[in-house]
Amino acid sequence: GQSLEQPSEVTAVEGAIVQINCTYQTSGFYGLSWYQQHDGGAPTFLSYNGLDGLEETGRFSSFLSRSDSYGYLLLQELQMKDSASYFCVPLQGGKLIFGQGTELSVKP
Amino acid sequence: GAVVSQHPSRVICKSGTSVKIECRSLDFQATTMFWYRQFPKQSLMLMATSNEGSKATYEQGVEKDKFLINHASLTLSTLTVTSAHPEDSSFYICSARPWPGQGIGELFFGEGSRLTVL
């Protein structure tokens, strides 16, 4: 089984920093992925944490703490185009099971 | 990055007909592909895992006789919605993990297929 918690909605202004938290309970946990999906589009891969710690890719960073079953996605220097849904997705037995996601709205 | 192509992007059909959706990995081989469906304003729901050369593994609650999956080659998986009904109207998205893999947590998604059943 699996349970996931992340905020349903987050609003921030252009240029700001936003952190989207994710807690999970998953059997057979391998690691945590983050995906972005714009309205009407397909999800795109942002990052994957297989080990504890911080992974940085440009303006996006992702963190994982296995002992706390917790991760977050950090988005810096927010741009309007970052308005989208963001999913933390535990890798469970080779499968990626999506939760409800967080809808991020970036305002001018 | 790796490219997954999905076709058709939109399809409208009459109730009772069958619809086939193709998912191709264009520049890599994929022994495993995944099929998701997504209703408006909802998350992606994993329907099944498609394995090259063997039967698909369906998630609980997904009717395997309704959603036929064939993964005949390392670059092509197909989803056939049989005897479609209006409640099957949805956004169907395939994804693939390159093999040999470069990132276990990374899936490449097709553009999705929006099915409308009248």
Short mmCIF file of all heavy atoms in Angstrom, two decimals, chain A residues 30 33 35 37 39-43 45 48 87 91 94-100 103, chain B residues 34 36 38 41-44 46 49 59 91 93 97 104-107 109-111 114:
data_model
loop_
_atom_site.label_atom_id
_atom_site.label_comp_id
_atom_site.label_asym_id
_atom_site.label_seq_id
_atom_site.Cartn_x
_atom_site.Cartn_y
_atom_site.Cartn_z
N TYR A 30 12.08 2.62 -3.11
CA TYR A 30 13.41 2.73 -3.71
C TYR A 30 13.92 4.15 -3.71
O TYR A 30 15.11 4.41 -3.49
CB TYR A 30 13.40 2.22 -5.16
CG TYR A 30 13.34 0.73 -5.30
CD1 TYR A 30 12.17 0.10 -5.73
CD2 TYR A 30 14.44 -0.06 -5.02
CE1 TYR A 30 12.11 -1.27 -5.86
CE2 TYR A 30 14.38 -1.44 -5.16
CZ TYR A 30 13.20 -2.03 -5.57
OH TYR A 30 13.13 -3.39 -5.71
N SER A 33 10.79 10.45 -6.94
CA SER A 33 10.89 11.28 -8.15
C SER A 33 9.95 12.47 -8.05
O SER A 33 8.97 12.45 -7.30
CB SER A 33 10.50 10.47 -9.40
OG SER A 33 11.37 9.40 -9.63
N TYR A 35 7.81 15.17 -10.68
CA TYR A 35 7.37 15.44 -12.04
C TYR A 35 6.57 16.73 -12.07
O TYR A 35 5.90 17.09 -11.11
CB TYR A 35 6.50 14.29 -12.57
CG TYR A 35 7.29 13.08 -12.95
CD1 TYR A 35 7.72 12.17 -11.99
CD2 TYR A 35 7.65 12.85 -14.28
CE1 TYR A 35 8.46 11.07 -12.33
CE2 TYR A 35 8.40 11.74 -14.64
CZ TYR A 35 8.80 10.85 -13.66
OH TYR A 35 9.56 9.76 -14.02
N GLN A 37 3.68 18.82 -14.43
CA GLN A 37 2.69 18.66 -15.50
C GLN A 37 1.93 19.95 -15.70
O GLN A 37 1.28 20.45 -14.77
CB GLN A 37 1.70 17.53 -15.19
CG GLN A 37 0.74 17.23 -16.35
CD GLN A 37 -0.26 16.15 -16.03
OE1 GLN A 37 -0.65 15.95 -14.88
NE2 GLN A 37 -0.71 15.42 -17.06
N ASP A 39 -1.16 22.02 -17.60
CA ASP A 39 -2.53 21.69 -18.00
C ASP A 39 -2.58 21.15 -19.41
O ASP A 39 -2.09 21.77 -20.35
CB ASP A 39 -3.39 22.96 -17.93
CG ASP A 39 -4.37 22.89 -16.78
OD1 ASP A 39 -4.41 21.86 -16.09
OD2 ASP A 39 -5.10 23.88 -16.59
N GLY A 40 -3.17 19.97 -19.56
CA GLY A 40 -3.35 19.40 -20.90
C GLY A 40 -2.12 18.72 -21.46
O GLY A 40 -2.17 18.18 -22.56
N GLY A 41 -1.02 18.76 -20.70
CA GLY A 41 0.21 18.17 -21.21
C GLY A 41 0.59 16.89 -20.48
O GLY A 41 -0.09 16.46 -19.56
N ALA A 42 1.67 16.30 -20.92
CA ALA A 42 2.19 15.10 -20.28
C ALA A 42 3.15 15.48 -19.16
O ALA A 42 3.75 16.56 -19.20
CB ALA A 42 2.88 14.23 -21.31
N PRO A 43 3.32 14.63 -18.18
CA PRO A 43 4.29 14.92 -17.11
C PRO A 43 5.72 14.92 -17.65
O PRO A 43 6.05 14.16 -18.57
CB PRO A 43 4.10 13.75 -16.14
CG PRO A 43 2.77 13.18 -16.46
CD PRO A 43 2.58 13.39 -17.92
N PHE A 45 9.81 14.80 -16.28
CA PHE A 45 10.66 14.44 -15.16
C PHE A 45 11.47 15.65 -14.70
O PHE A 45 12.03 16.38 -15.52
CB PHE A 45 11.59 13.31 -15.60
CG PHE A 45 12.66 12.96 -14.61
CD1 PHE A 45 12.37 12.16 -13.51
CD2 PHE A 45 13.96 13.40 -14.79
CE1 PHE A 45 13.36 11.83 -12.61
CE2 PHE A 45 14.96 13.07 -13.89
CZ PHE A 45 14.67 12.28 -12.80
N TYR A 48 15.22 12.95 -9.34
CA TYR A 48 15.06 11.69 -8.62
C TYR A 48 16.08 11.64 -7.49
O TYR A 48 17.26 11.94 -7.69
CB TYR A 48 15.29 10.50 -9.56
CG TYR A 48 15.31 9.15 -8.86
CD1 TYR A 48 14.13 8.61 -8.36
CD2 TYR A 48 16.50 8.43 -8.69
CE1 TYR A 48 14.14 7.38 -7.72
CE2 TYR A 48 16.51 7.20 -8.06
CZ TYR A 48 15.33 6.67 -7.58
OH TYR A 48 15.33 5.46 -6.95
N PHE A 87 4.23 16.69 -8.85
CA PHE A 87 3.93 15.41 -8.21
C PHE A 87 5.19 14.83 -7.58
O PHE A 87 6.24 14.75 -8.26
CB PHE A 87 3.41 14.41 -9.24
CG PHE A 87 2.11 14.79 -9.88
CD1 PHE A 87 2.10 15.53 -11.05
CD2 PHE A 87 0.91 14.41 -9.31
CE1 PHE A 87 0.90 15.90 -11.65
CE2 PHE A 87 -0.30 14.77 -9.91
CZ PHE A 87 -0.30 15.51 -11.07
N LEU A 91 9.05 5.64 -5.95
CA LEU A 91 9.31 4.47 -6.79
C LEU A 91 9.10 3.24 -5.93
O LEU A 91 9.78 3.04 -4.93
CB LEU A 91 10.74 4.51 -7.33
CG LEU A 91 11.16 3.36 -8.23
CD1 LEU A 91 10.29 3.30 -9.47
CD2 LEU A 91 12.62 3.49 -8.61
N GLY A 94 9.56 -0.78 -8.76
CA GLY A 94 9.72 -0.52 -10.18
C GLY A 94 8.61 0.31 -10.80
O GLY A 94 8.70 0.73 -11.96
N LYS A 95 7.54 0.55 -10.07
CA LYS A 95 6.42 1.32 -10.59
C LYS A 95 6.41 2.73 -9.98
O LYS A 95 6.81 2.92 -8.84
CB LYS A 95 5.09 0.64 -10.24
CG LYS A 95 4.96 -0.75 -10.82
CD LYS A 95 3.56 -1.31 -10.61
CE LYS A 95 3.24 -1.55 -9.16
NZ LYS A 95 1.96 -2.29 -9.01
N LEU A 96 5.94 3.67 -10.74
CA LEU A 96 5.76 5.03 -10.25
C LEU A 96 4.27 5.28 -10.05
O LEU A 96 3.51 5.28 -11.01
CB LEU A 96 6.35 6.05 -11.23
CG LEU A 96 7.88 6.05 -11.36
CD1 LEU A 96 8.32 7.05 -12.40
CD2 LEU A 96 8.53 6.36 -10.03
N ILE A 97 3.89 5.47 -8.80
CA ILE A 97 2.49 5.67 -8.44
C ILE A 97 2.32 7.14 -8.08
O ILE A 97 2.89 7.62 -7.10
CB ILE A 97 2.08 4.78 -7.25
CG1 ILE A 97 2.45 3.33 -7.51
CG2 ILE A 97 0.60 4.95 -6.95
CD1 ILE A 97 1.70 2.68 -8.64
N PHE A 98 1.52 7.84 -8.87
CA PHE A 98 1.33 9.27 -8.67
C PHE A 98 0.28 9.54 -7.60
O PHE A 98 -0.75 8.87 -7.53
CB PHE A 98 0.88 9.92 -9.97
CG PHE A 98 1.99 10.12 -10.97
CD1 PHE A 98 2.57 9.03 -11.61
CD2 PHE A 98 2.45 11.39 -11.26
CE1 PHE A 98 3.59 9.21 -12.51
CE2 PHE A 98 3.47 11.58 -12.17
CZ PHE A 98 4.05 10.48 -12.80
N GLY A 99 0.54 10.55 -6.76
CA GLY A 99 -0.46 11.04 -5.83
C GLY A 99 -1.25 12.16 -6.46
O GLY A 99 -1.25 12.33 -7.69
N GLN A 100 -1.89 12.97 -5.64
CA GLN A 100 -2.78 14.01 -6.15
C GLN A 100 -2.05 15.24 -6.65
O GLN A 100 -2.60 16.03 -7.41
CB GLN A 100 -3.79 14.42 -5.07
CG GLN A 100 -4.81 13.34 -4.77
CD GLN A 100 -5.53 12.88 -6.01
OE1 GLN A 100 -6.11 13.67 -6.76
NE2 GLN A 100 -5.49 11.58 -6.29
N GLU A 103 -0.78 21.93 -6.97
CA GLU A 103 -0.96 22.91 -8.04
C GLU A 103 -0.29 24.22 -7.63
O GLU A 103 -0.71 24.86 -6.66
CB GLU A 103 -2.44 23.14 -8.33
CG GLU A 103 -2.68 24.02 -9.55
CD GLU A 103 -4.14 24.05 -9.96
OE1 GLU A 103 -4.93 23.23 -9.45
OE2 GLU A 103 -4.49 24.92 -10.77
N PHE B 34 4.51 1.84 -19.30
CA PHE B 34 3.43 1.99 -18.35
C PHE B 34 2.29 2.77 -19.00
O PHE B 34 2.53 3.72 -19.73
CB PHE B 34 3.90 2.74 -17.09
CG PHE B 34 5.05 2.07 -16.39
CD1 PHE B 34 6.35 2.40 -16.71
CD2 PHE B 34 4.82 1.12 -15.40
CE1 PHE B 34 7.43 1.80 -16.07
CE2 PHE B 34 5.89 0.50 -14.75
CZ PHE B 34 7.19 0.85 -15.09
N TYR B 36 -1.11 4.99 -18.15
CA TYR B 36 -1.86 5.74 -17.14
C TYR B 36 -3.10 6.32 -17.79
O TYR B 36 -3.16 6.53 -19.00
CB TYR B 36 -1.02 6.91 -16.60
CG TYR B 36 0.21 6.52 -15.80
CD1 TYR B 36 1.42 6.21 -16.44
CD2 TYR B 36 0.18 6.51 -14.42
CE1 TYR B 36 2.55 5.88 -15.71
CE2 TYR B 36 1.32 6.18 -13.67
CZ TYR B 36 2.49 5.86 -14.34
OH TYR B 36 3.62 5.54 -13.60
N GLN B 38 -5.94 9.64 -16.92
CA GLN B 38 -6.10 10.84 -16.10
C GLN B 38 -7.41 11.50 -16.43
O GLN B 38 -7.67 11.86 -17.59
CB GLN B 38 -4.93 11.80 -16.34
CG GLN B 38 -4.93 13.01 -15.41
CD GLN B 38 -3.69 13.87 -15.61
OE1 GLN B 38 -3.17 14.00 -16.71
NE2 GLN B 38 -3.21 14.47 -14.52
N LYS B 41 -8.57 17.41 -13.85
CA LYS B 41 -8.23 17.92 -12.52
C LYS B 41 -7.87 16.80 -11.54
O LYS B 41 -7.93 17.00 -10.32
CB LYS B 41 -9.40 18.73 -11.94
CG LYS B 41 -9.78 19.93 -12.80
CD LYS B 41 -8.68 20.94 -12.86
CE LYS B 41 -9.10 22.16 -13.66
NZ LYS B 41 -7.98 23.12 -13.84
N GLN B 42 -7.55 15.64 -12.04
CA GLN B 42 -7.15 14.55 -11.16
C GLN B 42 -5.74 14.08 -11.51
O GLN B 42 -5.15 14.50 -12.49
CB GLN B 42 -8.15 13.39 -11.28
CG GLN B 42 -9.53 13.74 -10.76
CD GLN B 42 -10.42 12.51 -10.65
OE1 GLN B 42 -9.95 11.38 -10.53
NE2 GLN B 42 -11.72 12.74 -10.68
N SER B 43 -5.25 13.20 -10.67
CA SER B 43 -3.89 12.71 -10.87
C SER B 43 -3.86 11.58 -11.90
O SER B 43 -4.90 11.15 -12.40
CB SER B 43 -3.33 12.22 -9.54
OG SER B 43 -1.98 11.86 -9.68
N LEU B 44 -2.66 11.14 -12.20
CA LEU B 44 -2.50 10.02 -13.11
C LEU B 44 -2.73 8.72 -12.35
O LEU B 44 -2.18 8.51 -11.27
CB LEU B 44 -1.08 9.99 -13.70
CG LEU B 44 -0.75 11.03 -14.74
CD1 LEU B 44 -0.43 12.36 -14.11
CD2 LEU B 44 0.42 10.55 -15.59
N LEU B 46 -2.20 4.73 -12.53
CA LEU B 46 -1.52 3.66 -13.25
C LEU B 46 -2.52 2.55 -13.56
O LEU B 46 -3.20 2.05 -12.68
CB LEU B 46 -0.37 3.10 -12.40
CG LEU B 46 0.42 1.95 -13.02
CD1 LEU B 46 1.15 2.41 -14.29
CD2 LEU B 46 1.42 1.39 -12.01
N THR B 49 1.27 -2.26 -16.34
CA THR B 49 2.67 -2.30 -16.75
C THR B 49 2.77 -3.25 -17.92
O THR B 49 2.35 -4.41 -17.84
CB THR B 49 3.54 -2.80 -15.59
OG1 THR B 49 3.35 -1.95 -14.46
CG2 THR B 49 5.01 -2.79 -15.99
N GLU B 59 -3.19 -3.17 -12.79
CA GLU B 59 -3.43 -2.72 -11.42
C GLU B 59 -4.82 -3.18 -10.99
O GLU B 59 -5.71 -3.46 -11.80
CB GLU B 59 -3.31 -1.20 -11.34
CG GLU B 59 -1.90 -0.69 -11.61
CD GLU B 59 -0.87 -1.20 -10.63
OE1 GLU B 59 -1.07 -1.00 -9.41
OE2 GLU B 59 0.11 -1.84 -11.07
N PHE B 91 -8.01 10.91 -20.57
CA PHE B 91 -6.69 11.20 -21.14
C PHE B 91 -5.81 9.99 -20.83
O PHE B 91 -5.59 9.68 -19.66
CB PHE B 91 -6.15 12.49 -20.50
CG PHE B 91 -4.93 13.06 -21.15
CD1 PHE B 91 -4.86 13.25 -22.52
CD2 PHE B 91 -3.85 13.47 -20.38
CE1 PHE B 91 -3.74 13.82 -23.11
CE2 PHE B 91 -2.72 14.04 -20.97
CZ PHE B 91 -2.67 14.21 -22.33
N ILE B 93 -2.18 8.15 -21.09
CA ILE B 93 -0.77 8.53 -21.28
C ILE B 93 0.10 7.30 -21.10
O ILE B 93 -0.06 6.56 -20.13
CB ILE B 93 -0.32 9.59 -20.26
CG1 ILE B 93 -1.35 10.70 -20.11
CG2 ILE B 93 1.03 10.18 -20.67
CD1 ILE B 93 -1.00 11.70 -19.01
N ARG B 97 10.60 3.54 -19.65
CA ARG B 97 11.90 3.70 -18.99
C ARG B 97 12.95 3.12 -19.92
O ARG B 97 12.84 1.95 -20.33
CB ARG B 97 11.91 2.98 -17.66
CG ARG B 97 13.23 3.09 -16.89
CD ARG B 97 13.18 2.30 -15.60
NE ARG B 97 12.26 2.92 -14.65
CZ ARG B 97 11.32 2.24 -14.02
NH1 ARG B 97 11.15 0.96 -14.24
NH2 ARG B 97 10.53 2.86 -13.15
N ILE B 104 16.66 5.13 -12.69
CA ILE B 104 15.55 4.23 -12.38
C ILE B 104 14.27 5.01 -12.10
O ILE B 104 13.17 4.52 -12.34
CB ILE B 104 15.92 3.31 -11.20
CG1 ILE B 104 14.86 2.25 -10.97
CG2 ILE B 104 16.14 4.13 -9.92
CD1 ILE B 104 15.26 1.21 -9.95
N GLY B 105 14.41 6.23 -11.57
CA GLY B 105 13.22 6.99 -11.21
C GLY B 105 12.69 7.86 -12.32
O GLY B 105 11.76 8.63 -12.12
N GLU B 106 13.29 7.76 -13.51
CA GLU B 106 12.90 8.65 -14.60
C GLU B 106 12.11 7.90 -15.65
O GLU B 106 12.55 6.91 -16.21
CB GLU B 106 14.15 9.26 -15.24
CG GLU B 106 13.85 10.22 -16.37
CD GLU B 106 15.10 10.91 -16.89
OE1 GLU B 106 16.22 10.55 -16.47
OE2 GLU B 106 14.96 11.83 -17.73
N LEU B 107 10.92 8.40 -15.89
CA LEU B 107 10.10 7.89 -16.98
C LEU B 107 9.93 8.99 -18.03
O LEU B 107 9.83 10.17 -17.69
CB LEU B 107 8.70 7.50 -16.49
CG LEU B 107 8.55 6.26 -15.63
CD1 LEU B 107 7.08 6.04 -15.28
CD2 LEU B 107 9.11 5.03 -16.33
N PHE B 109 7.42 10.33 -20.89
CA PHE B 109 6.00 10.21 -21.19
C PHE B 109 5.70 10.59 -22.63
O PHE B 109 6.34 11.49 -23.21
CB PHE B 109 5.20 11.12 -20.26
CG PHE B 109 5.03 10.56 -18.88
CD1 PHE B 109 6.02 10.71 -17.94
CD2 PHE B 109 3.87 9.88 -18.53
CE1 PHE B 109 5.87 10.19 -16.66
CE2 PHE B 109 3.71 9.36 -17.25
CZ PHE B 109 4.72 9.52 -16.32
N GLY B 110 4.72 9.91 -23.19
CA GLY B 110 4.18 10.32 -24.47
C GLY B 110 3.32 11.56 -24.28
O GLY B 110 3.09 12.02 -23.16
N GLU B 111 2.83 12.09 -25.40
CA GLU B 111 2.06 13.33 -25.36
C GLU B 111 0.65 13.12 -24.85
O GLU B 111 -0.07 14.07 -24.56
CB GLU B 111 2.01 13.98 -26.75
CG GLU B 111 3.37 14.16 -27.40
CD GLU B 111 3.72 12.99 -28.31
OE1 GLU B 111 3.33 11.83 -28.00
OE2 GLU B 111 4.39 13.22 -29.33
N ARG B 114 -6.27 11.86 -25.99
CA ARG B 114 -7.55 12.22 -25.37
C ARG B 114 -8.67 11.47 -26.09
O ARG B 114 -8.91 11.70 -27.28
CB ARG B 114 -7.78 13.72 -25.45
CG ARG B 114 -8.98 14.17 -24.61
CD ARG B 114 -8.96 15.67 -24.34
NE ARG B 114 -7.78 16.11 -23.61
CZ ARG B 114 -7.59 15.96 -22.32
NH1 ARG B 114 -8.48 15.34 -21.58
NH2 ARG B 114 -6.49 16.41 -21.74
#
